[in-house]
Amino acid sequence: MTAPLQLLLYFFLYAFLGWCAEVAFAAVTTRQLVNRGFLNGPQCPIYGFGMVALLVTLGPWRQNLPAVFFGSMVLATLVELVGGWLLYRLFHTRWWDYTNQRWNLGGYICPKFSLLWGLGGAVMLTVVHPLLARPVQHIPRGALLAVDLVLLAGFLADTAISFAQAAGLTRQLRSLDELGSGIRRLSDRMTEHIGTRAMTVDTLLDEQKLQLMLAAMEGRDNAAALREQLLELAARAGAQRQALEKLARQRYFGAGRLLRAFPHMQVPDHAEAVARLRTATARLTRQLRDHMGGRRQK
């Protein structure tokens, strides 16, 4: 039976290998280097938990390939289901979504990926793990304990930071929704009083258009109140733009990284805000890339 200290090290090793597989898959499919996974560091804990579960339950059956395949399929699918559900309950966010896959369950799991988990688990248990187990088994207990403690400390710190960043992303989405609602309400009132066209965030950020709207209010009923609300929304739009620019720069660390790490992320309570955030960060990312490209040419 595998010792607890060895299991902990295997957790970190397979979390790292899972992260490598996710990054490689994203590089092949999107032609971009993306730091995949919920955590900032190079690890995807769901792979670590999955492999530890396989080692504990299927270790004695390692020579029985059909049992390993079906057992891996069931256990890995269960880990994915529980992990997806827990993350949704914590952040009201679907970090991955299989809704478009046939016979999916709540968008968390689907037969297609369950079969892939079964195949992957069989390969890991019968081919990869024996190769990793040989050197791990020869690590002295004291050294193994030290390595585990260092990795565990880094993992816990990264988990705390990543949870805070995910919560920050949720607050950013809520703020975007509130700004959009405020703009729509003010736009309706201004249309009623001064006949302006529908107002957008870009309108508020355009100084010339903003001044024209302020000038159009002069002498109108409730002009002072509308003017105050317009200036307040313009200030909030400016702050939002600065926040979006910060997110656009966070390619490998921070809340902005989560948008790239989970391209199919769904937030039912803030679906419109997610769409606007993705569009805005994509546009700002292109602008930053063009700006950096222009500076290099100079």
Side-chain angles (χ1 to χ4, degrees), residues 177-207:
D177 271 340
E178 292 172 355
L179 177 61
S181 298
I183 289 175
R184 283 191 291 270
R185 287 194 300 269
L186 182 58
S187 179
D188 291 342
R189 292 186 62 191
M190 292 184 65
T191 300
E192 180 182 347
H193 285 83
I194 61 177
T196 59
R197 293 179 299 176
M199 185 170 49
T200 65
V201 173
D202 291 335
T203 304
L204 294 174
L205 294 173
D206 189 314
E207 183 64 26

Side-chain angles (χ1 to χ4, degrees), residues 33 35-36 127 145 194 222:
L33 186 62
N35 181 8
R36 295 296 295 267
V127 179
L145 177 60
I194 61 177
N222 299 324

Side-chain angles (χ1 to χ4, degrees), residues 131-209:
L131 298 176
L132 287 177
R134 293 191 189 100
V136 170
Q137 290 171 355
H138 289 88
I139 300 177
R141 179 180 174 81
L144 185 59
L145 177 60
V147 171
D148 280 349
L149 288 176
V150 171
L151 292 175
L152 181 60
F155 172 75
L156 292 176
D158 193 359
T159 299
I161 293 172
S162 299
F163 268 64
Q165 291 170 346
L169 180 60
T170 301
R171 288 194 297 271
Q172 184 73 42
L173 293 174
R174 187 181 303 116
S175 180
L176 277 173
D177 271 340
E178 292 172 355
L179 177 61
S181 298
I183 289 175
R184 283 191 291 270
R185 287 194 300 269
L186 182 58
S187 179
D188 291 342
R189 292 186 62 191
M190 292 184 65
T191 300
E192 180 182 347
H193 285 83
I194 61 177
T196 59
R197 293 179 299 176
M199 185 170 49
T200 65
V201 173
D202 291 335
T203 304
L204 294 174
L205 294 173
D206 189 314
E207 183 64 26
Q208 184 176 3
K209 292 180 180 179

